[in-house]
């Protein structure tokens, strides 16, 4: 095999293998291949921006390579990758801890691939030892650092995700602890340039082990959360059918809003019932996925669900965005509820 190709494989394949393993190990398997590729592309963009910004830093400040590697690079690169993580949360692309960790690792993997390919071109004559360290050490460090950032943010966002969607605020402070941990991991890896093989072994063992622990904890947490939410929404549906919901503050507020809408009042009541039914169906579908109940999941995502989504969107258009957001506030749908519905709708459409 051509030495250049061998070096490229050593530099790039390990992080892709770890990423693929994480996607396979995900019990819910909600990350689509195209979503993983999108996130990797985001990481690649962050790598390109880091390259451009690092040149400006060297021009503007009296930095030597050692200082930049141990201080400047970790802050700059983890912050740029962190911006992609913020975008993922802002667009409600993750629902559970596992999704957050895989998303972060995919961003870091995309970053490391571009960085390693750049260095491969720049130092093509370097020996295999360098590419072993970069492939099994640096690349996995990049993925692991961003995965820890995203997973930490998800843990801190959980209380906010449980609140009503209309009251959710993307608090940037929730990203700071994870960003600090990512910078510390990156700086620690770069701080011992004289022992690269030891650093490589530590990163190659510790980072996957930590993420596997997060995966296990995330699976348990997701099952518990889903079961509790499904039970709560089933009780809400039962309360609507029995008339008990009409006596609650939320039910009274919705009834008042329906009366003000006049002829559209019945449409509002239908929208409320349909929305709760679809949220409960989405949670049941995810639980069936986790339990490997393929037949039940197909039924939940069948023609009935497709017709329900079509009717829901027709009602949203008829009622208008202002009314829809007011209803969601009274029903206290969380961003996770809406994410679960989105996953079900993708299954229905696919």
């Amino acid at each position: 095999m051509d030495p250049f190709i061998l070096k490229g494989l050593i530099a790039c394949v390990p992080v892709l293998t770890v990423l693929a393993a994480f996607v396979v190990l995900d019990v819910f398997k909600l990350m689509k291949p195209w979503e993983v590729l999108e996130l990797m592309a985001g990481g690649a963009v962050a790598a390109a921006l880091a390259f451009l910004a690092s040149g400006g830093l060297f021009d503007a400040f009296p930095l030597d390579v050692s200082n930049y590697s141990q201080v400047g690079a970790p802050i700059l690169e983890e912050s740029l990758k962190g911006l992609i993580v913020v975008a993922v949360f802002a667009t409600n692309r993750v629902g559970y801890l596992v999704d957050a960790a895989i998303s972060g690792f995919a961003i870091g993997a995309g970053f490391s691939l571009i960085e390693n390919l750049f260095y491969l071109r720049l130092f093509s004559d370097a020996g295999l030892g360098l590419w072993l360290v970069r492939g099994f050490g640096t690349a996995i460090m990049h993925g692991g650092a961003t995965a820890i950032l995203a997973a930490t943010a998800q843990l801190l966002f959980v209380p906010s995700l449980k609140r009503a969607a209309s009251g959710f605020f993307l608090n940037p402070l929730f990203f700071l602890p994870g960003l600090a941990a990512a910078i510390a991991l990156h700086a620690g890896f770069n701080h011992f340039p004289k022992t690269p093989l030891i650093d490589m072994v530590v990163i190659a063992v510790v980072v996957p082990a930590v993420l596997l622990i997060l995966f296990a904890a995330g699976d348990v947490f997701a099952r518990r959360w889903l079961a509790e939410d499904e039970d709560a929404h089933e009780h809400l549906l039962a309360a609507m059918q029995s008339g008990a919901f009409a006596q609650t503050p939320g039910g009274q507020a919705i009834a008042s809003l329906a009366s003000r809408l006049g002829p559209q009042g019945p449409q509002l009541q239908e929208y409320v019932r349909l929305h709760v039914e679809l949220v409960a169906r989405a949670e049941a579908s995810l639980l069936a996925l986790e339990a490997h109940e393929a037949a039940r999941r197909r039924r939940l995502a069948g023609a009935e669900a497709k017709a329900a989504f079509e009717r829901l969107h027709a009602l949203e258009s008829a009622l208008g965005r202002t009314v829809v957001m007011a209803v969601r506030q009274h029903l206290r749908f969380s961003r996770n509820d809406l994410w679960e519905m989105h996953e079900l709708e993708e299954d229905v459409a696919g």
Side-chain angles (χ1 to χ4, degrees):
M1 180 182 291
D2 183 280
F4 185 82
I5 295 176
L6 179 60
K7 293 172 184 177
L9 291 175
I10 293 173
C12 298
V13 169
V15 71
L16 293 177
T17 303
V18 174
L19 175 59
F22 288 155
V23 172
V24 170
L25 288 172
D26 178 14
V27 172
F28 292 96
K29 291 184 172 55
L30 297 175
M31 295 290 296
K32 310 293 190 300
W34 63 266
E35 290 178 311
V36 175
L37 291 174
E38 254 186 7
L39 293 165
M40 290 178 66
V45 171
L49 292 175
F51 171 73
L52 295 174
S54 62
L57 287 175
F58 276 110
D59 291 340
F61 300 98
L63 295 173
D64 59 35
V65 174
S66 178
N67 286 335
Y68 176 74
S69 173
Q70 295 174 9
V71 180
I75 294 173
L76 173 64
E77 294 174 4
E78 298 309 325
S79 297
L80 288 172
K81 288 187 290 177
L83 290 176
I84 310 298
V85 173
V86 172
V88 169
F89 276 81
T91 53
N92 204 24
R93 294 277 296 275
V94 296
Y96 302 121
L97 185 64
V98 174
D99 304 323
I102 293 177
S103 296
F105 198 91
I107 293 167
F111 187 103
S112 70
L113 288 177
I114 295 301
E115 185 180 68
N116 278 355
L117 289 173
F118 171 75
Y119 281 117
L120 185 64
R121 181 178 178 183
L122 198 62
F123 304 110
S124 58
D125 294 332
L128 290 178
L130 172 65
W131 306 113
L132 281 170
V133 171
R134 292 207 62 84
F136 287 90
T138 308
I140 294 176
M141 178 275 294
H142 272 300
T146 316
I148 290 170
L149 191 166
T152 303
Q154 174 68 9
L155 287 172
L156 294 173
F157 268 111
V158 165
S160 294
L161 289 167
K162 281 290 190 180
R163 294 203 303 268
S166 58
F168 179 85
F169 175 64
L170 194 69
N171 191 337
L173 295 178
F174 290 167
F175 295 99
L176 294 183
L179 177 60
I183 291 172
L185 175 63
H186 192 155
F189 180 81
N190 288 0
H191 203 73
F192 301 98
K194 294 181 180 180
T195 56
L197 292 179
I198 295 176
D199 289 356
M200 178 194 75
V201 172
V202 170
I203 288 294
V205 172
V206 172
V207 167
V210 169
L211 293 180
L212 287 174
I213 292 171
L214 283 176
F215 276 30
D219 286 342
V220 172
F221 182 78
R223 291 190 200 102
R224 185 181 305 162
W225 188 344
L226 271 174
E228 290 175 355
D229 279 2
E230 184 194 24
D231 186 61
H233 289 123
E234 291 292 350
H235 277 85
L236 180 57
L237 278 174
M240 288 179 174
Q241 292 166 358
S242 67
F245 177 69
Q247 307 306 314
T248 66
Q252 292 172 354
I254 290 172
S256 175
L257 180 59
S259 66
R260 292 200 301 271
L261 289 176
Q264 283 188 307
Q267 288 184 323
L268 177 63
Q269 298 288 1
E270 181 185 3
Y271 174 80
V272 169
R273 176 188 58 77
L274 199 55
H275 206 313
V276 177
E277 286 180 357
L278 282 171
V279 168
R281 181 183 286 262
E283 288 158 352
S285 176
L286 288 173
L287 286 170
L289 174 64
E290 187 272 334
H292 305 289
E293 297 173 345
R296 180 168 178 248
R297 189 161 181 259
R298 283 195 296 271
R299 289 196 302 272
L300 289 165
E304 185 179 345
K306 182 177 181 180
F309 274 113
E310 290 173 351
R311 179 57 180 164
L312 185 79
H313 294 318
L315 289 169
E316 286 174 341
S317 297
L319 293 169
R321 179 175 176 81
T322 302
V323 173
V324 167
M325 294 305 295
V327 169
R328 288 180 180 175
Q329 181 178 10
H330 293 304
L331 290 173
R332 301 197 65 78
F333 287 128
S334 71
R335 285 175 66 95
N336 239 48
D337 295 334
L338 304 182
W339 172 81
E340 290 160 356
M341 281 185 60
H342 174 72
E343 291 296 322
L344 176 61
E345 190 166 15
E346 281 197 341
D347 288 339
V348 169

